[in-house]
Amino acid sequence: MNAVTHSVDPEMRALLLGAIPALRAFAFSLTRDLDRSDDLVQETLVRAWTKADSFTPGTNLYAWLFTILRNLFYSEQRKRRREVEDADGVMAGRLTALPDQEARVELSAFQTALSTLPANQREALVLVGAQNFTYEEAAEICGVAVGTIKSRVSRARGRLIELLGMTGPDDIGSDGATLAAMGYP
């Protein structure tokens, strides 16, 4: 029996497994589809595992993984251009259930507002506001200048505040992730 054995680096395995929640959140922010985002995370982990030798120890593993995920997403988008999209949201609207709690209503409103942002602004806001990457790390992931990321985050936050009819942090509540995404301490 000719079984091929691969040496398993337990440290890299643990780091990749630890990154899954953040990768899933970022993938979902890009795809807005749980199945597609899970597939994207799985493909990211496979690529990272097979290309682990190209990772430079001592650098930011999360930034490396997010870059892989982002590149896979945009490659997938280019391939999907021929597919029919639900641009007006009619099909998606039929699949949603009305929320039964105030928090769900607020979350739904936030998700709707977030989904109206241009993809590059949404991506920058999620990286900086929700995933806690620095502007520099987000710029590296997106392959743009730091000033571009700052501008995108600022425009995204301003637009969300406008869309949600907010005037300040008192309108948001105490959820730390939401406060961070909106730019409040």
Side-chain angles (χ1 to χ4, degrees):
M1 180 175 191
N2 290 337
V4 177
T5 59
H6 296 280
S7 65
V8 175
D9 179 356
E11 182 181 357
M12 178 58 91
R13 181 180 185 277
L15 291 171
L16 291 176
L17 290 175
I20 289 175
L23 289 170
R24 289 186 79 211
F26 184 53
F28 184 76
S29 76
L30 294 173
T31 65
R32 294 184 300 268
D33 179 290
L34 285 174
D35 292 332
R36 282 182 60 205
S37 62
D38 283 344
D39 291 345
L40 193 56
V41 169
Q42 181 177 358
E43 182 63 26
T44 299
L45 293 171
V46 168
R47 293 257 176 111
W49 186 257
T50 60
K51 302 290 184 185
D53 58 329
S54 69
F55 174 69
T56 306
T59 61
N60 189 333
L61 177 72
Y62 276 47
W64 182 65
L65 291 171
F66 273 60
T67 301
I68 293 171
L69 188 143
R70 181 181 181 275
N71 290 341
L72 286 169
F73 171 74
Y74 284 114
S75 293
E76 180 183 287
Q77 288 299 99
R78 284 188 294 273
K79 291 176 186 176
R80 289 182 179 252
R81 285 192 180 162
R82 294 189 182 119
E83 293 182 14
V84 176
E85 292 187 24
D86 185 22
D88 57 4
V90 171
M91 292 175 65
R94 283 189 251 152
L95 298 175
T96 60
L98 294 175
D100 56 359
Q101 295 178 352
E102 185 177 330
R104 287 187 185 180
V105 171
E106 291 172 357
L107 179 61
S108 178
F110 181 79
Q111 288 174 327
T112 300
L114 186 65
S115 71
T116 66
L117 296 177
N120 61 1
Q121 289 180 16
R122 185 175 58 247
E123 175 182 61
L125 184 64
V126 167
L127 288 172
V128 172
Q131 296 296 331
N132 294 320
F133 280 103
T134 65
Y135 287 114
E136 291 77 14
E137 291 168 333
E140 183 181 328
I141 290 167
C142 295
V144 298
V146 173
T148 301
I149 289 295
K150 288 181 178 181
S151 176
R152 288 176 183 175
V153 168
S154 177
R155 287 193 309 266
R157 286 176 172 158
R159 183 68 180 138
L160 283 178
I161 288 168
E162 178 184 317
L163 288 169
L164 297 172
M166 297 178 167
T167 57
D170 294 335
D171 292 341
I172 298 173
S174 61
D175 175 28
T178 304
L179 287 168
M182 299 301 288
Y184 298 106

